[in-house]
Amino acid sequence: MAYLKIKDLKKHFVKKTGGMLSSTKETVRAVDGVDLEIQKGEILGLVGESGCGKSTLSRTLMQLVQPTSGSIILNGENLSSLAHSEVRKRRLDFQMVFQDPYASLNPRMTVFSTIAEAVRQRHPKMKGAELEKKVVDLMSTVGLDASQMKRYPHEFSGGQRQRIAIARALAPEPKLVIADEPVSALDVSIQSQILNLMKDLQRDLGLTMIFISHDLGVVHYIADRIAVMYRGKIVETGTAEEVFHAPKDEYTRHLLSSIPKLVTSA
């Protein structure tokens, strides 16, 4: 059985168009019948251009927005059928890493407070030396020095902030991590460091992840399998090598052709 099974998932929004006297309703099919299966310990790369529905899908999986229809089954349990109070409890099992680490971190909280707060979501009675050791271990896991724990987000570089955000995501001991464009706001040299960190976490922690990006080259590097999304639908899935080297869908070929190529002169 797949660790995460998404079956015919839809998220439609209704918006009004036109003026006050002649307004009409239009349905935006942001996610329109998505079927996906993800195995435990796998990184699935979800790729597509801006506006294709990737972020809406991620927020629907996180239960931040309610699906219009369909099911989200995590480890055999249908999350879509749970009561709101139960969803809040289960949200610890799936955490998110956002595109802009500075915007996602509270500027008034130190690194210690940020990570400790997330740890206590899973272990509310943990405190003192035990809690500090847990924070130190998490910082070490993502490549940060414990001497930095009393600093604030503005005292770190973009790459270091994303490491803090990753540590915070790992703190509640989630079963699934959704990374939504986690390297697109970083310099190219820093991107590779964060990508390598995520691959190390997959190897060392058995982490299951959905890695979302508009860049097929980045997804090819980090993902075991790739799902290509276009206009709310999954148009192609396969191993990273299959999708990158033998694409079946015209849209996938379009994404591949848009990857910058190194031009050298003789």
Side-chain angles (χ1 to χ4, degrees), residues 118-222:
V119 169
R120 283 194 290 259
Q121 294 298 311
R122 178 71 72 180
H123 304 286
K125 295 183 180 180
M126 187 179 290
K127 57 184 179 180
E130 184 183 14
L131 179 60
E132 183 172 334
K133 182 180 184 304
K134 182 70 171 178
V135 172
V136 169
D137 289 345
L138 283 164
M139 291 182 68
S140 176
T141 297
V142 300
L144 292 172
D145 193 280
S147 63
Q148 301 170 310
M149 69 168 60
K150 298 301 182 182
R151 296 183 182 179
Y152 292 86
H154 73 271
E155 299 179 83
F156 292 88
S157 67
Q160 289 174 319
R161 290 178 196 140
Q162 197 59 288
R163 290 175 187 270
I164 298 168
I166 293 170
R168 180 183 59 184
L170 295 176
E173 302 165 17
K175 295 179 179 179
L176 174 73
V177 171
I178 301 175
D180 190 358
E181 298 275 8
V183 299
S184 63
L186 305 177
D187 293 339
V188 174
S189 60
I190 304 301
Q191 286 184 13
S192 62
Q193 295 177 19
I194 298 300
L195 292 174
N196 287 331
L197 169 62
M198 289 182 164
K199 288 174 74 74
D200 290 344
L201 293 174
Q202 178 199 25
R203 181 196 64 213
D204 298 339
L205 304 179
L207 195 63
T208 305
M209 185 188 306
I210 298 176
F211 186 97
I212 300 172
S213 178
H214 65 279
D215 188 331
L216 191 51
V218 168
V219 170
H220 172 249
Y221 176 75
I222 193 172

Side-chain angles (χ1 to χ4, degrees), residues 14-115:
V14 177
K15 68 175 184 178
K16 291 184 178 181
T17 59
M20 294 181 60
L21 301 179
S22 60
S23 63
T24 58
K25 291 184 178 180
E26 176 185 348
T27 299
V28 178
R29 301 175 184 273
V31 177
D32 197 24
V34 166
D35 292 298
L36 279 175
E37 292 189 358
I38 303 171
Q39 303 303 319
K40 187 173 178 61
E42 178 181 52
I43 297 180
L44 176 78
L46 180 63
V47 66
E49 294 174 309
S50 297
C52 72
K54 305 186 304 297
S55 292
T56 300
L57 175 59
S58 70
R59 282 158 175 75
T60 305
L61 295 178
M62 286 287 297
Q63 305 287 295
L64 297 176
V65 294
Q66 289 296 309
T68 302
S69 62
S71 59
I72 304 166
I73 302 171
L74 179 64
N75 201 22
E77 183 176 26
N78 189 350
L79 303 179
S80 309
S81 64
L82 298 179
H84 181 69
S85 57
E86 192 63 28
V87 167
R88 292 189 63 183
K89 296 178 184 177
R90 292 304 309 274
R91 195 170 284 147
L92 294 177
D93 290 338
F94 35 103
Q95 293 293 303
M96 200 159 183
V97 178
F98 296 93
Q99 176 178 356
D100 185 350
Y102 191 67
S104 70
L105 297 172
N106 187 332
R108 297 182 180 181
M109 294 177 67
T110 63
V111 174
F112 176 83
S113 298
T114 296
I115 300 176

